[in-house]
Amino acid sequence: MSNPDELLVGISAMVESGQSNQMSLTVVVGGAVITGRLAPEAMWRERVSEVLKDSDHLDSFSGVFIADRPRARANRGEAPTHLHFHLARILQGNIGIPETGGMYRVAIKDVSAWTVGDFSYSDH
C-alpha cells in the first residue's frame, strides 16, 4: 500500500502503547502470507538482541537492535511504520515456516491485505 492503512496503523499504535501484546494478525506482503502475534517494537528488539547475543557467530549484531529507542519515537507522536511479529510463521502450502514461529518485522506500507487472527493448519 502506498498509503498505510490507518486501521492497521491504529492496531499497531495500540500494541506499541502497551495495551496489548496478544493481538493476532495475518498479513500479505509481497505475495507471502505471514501470521502471528504482534509485539511492541521495544520488546521485539530486545528479544531479537537476546537471540543474537546467544549466538557464537552473530553476537556482535545484538547491540544494533537495542541502540535506537522506539519509545522515544512514540513519545514524539510519530505513527508506527512497522509491524513486529513474534510467534509468527510464513504460510507455505499446508505448513508454517518456521514451525515454532519466528520474529518478523514488516513495513506497514508494504501490506497489501490483512485480517485479524492467526491462521494455523491442522491435519485433523
Side-chain angles (χ1 to χ4, degrees), residues 35 37 44 85-90 97-104:
T35 189
R37 283 195 305 190
W44 183 90
F85 285 92
H86 67 113
L87 302 174
R89 296 171 318 282
I90 296 175
I97 305 167
E99 271 186 40
T100 57
M103 306 288 283
Y104 296 100

Side-chain angles (χ1 to χ4, degrees), residues 73-88:
R73 288 193 299 273
N75 291 339
R76 291 191 301 262
E78 296 176 12
T81 58
H82 291 78
L83 301 170
H84 296 87
F85 285 92
H86 67 113
L87 302 174

Side-chain angles (χ1 to χ4, degrees), residues 46-68:
E46 185 175 314
R47 180 66 185 124
V48 172
S49 177
E50 289 171 2
V51 169
L52 292 172
K53 201 177 288 185
D54 289 342
S55 169
D56 291 337
H57 302 289
L58 301 173
D59 62 334
S60 61
F61 290 95
S62 67
V64 172
F65 288 87
I66 56 175
D68 184 24

